[in-house]
């Protein structure tokens, strides 16, 4: 079960980061607080990069463990 935690958390962070980035850039107008605020664009990009890193490293560990 522990093998799936890193890719799962990475996927969630990636999705959240992309949504925050889209809201911060003004592409999604679902939030009155976050829409068009450039700080959420930067925060979202950082969260998305962290999520992508966790996802990739977790998938590599899963693949290496299955051999």
């Amino acid at each position: 079960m522990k093998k799936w935690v890193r890719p799962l958390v990475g996927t969630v962070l990636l999705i959240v980061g992309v949504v925050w980035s889209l809201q911060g850039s003004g592409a999604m107008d679902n939030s009155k607080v976050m829409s068009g605020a450039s700080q959420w664009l930067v925060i979202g990009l950082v969260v998305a990069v962290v999520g992508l890193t966790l996802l990739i490293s977790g998938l590599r560990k899963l693949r290496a463990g299955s051999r």
Side-chain angles (χ1 to χ4, degrees):
M1 184 72 175
K2 290 183 182 180
K3 293 179 181 181
W4 290 97
V5 172
R6 188 176 292 203
L8 181 64
V9 170
T11 302
V12 170
L13 287 176
L14 181 61
I15 292 169
V16 168
V18 168
V19 169
W20 285 355
S21 296
L22 289 173
Q23 286 181 333
S25 69
M28 289 178 61
D29 292 331
N30 296 340
S31 173
K32 293 180 182 179
V33 177
M34 294 173 68
S35 292
S38 61
Q39 71 185 18
W40 287 107
L41 174 63
V42 174
I43 293 170
L45 289 174
V46 170
V47 170
V49 168
V50 170
L52 186 61
T53 304
L54 284 174
L55 178 61
I56 290 171
S57 68
L59 290 177
R60 284 185 181 169
K61 280 191 174 192
L62 277 176
R63 189 173 294 161
S66 66
R67 291 182 185 176

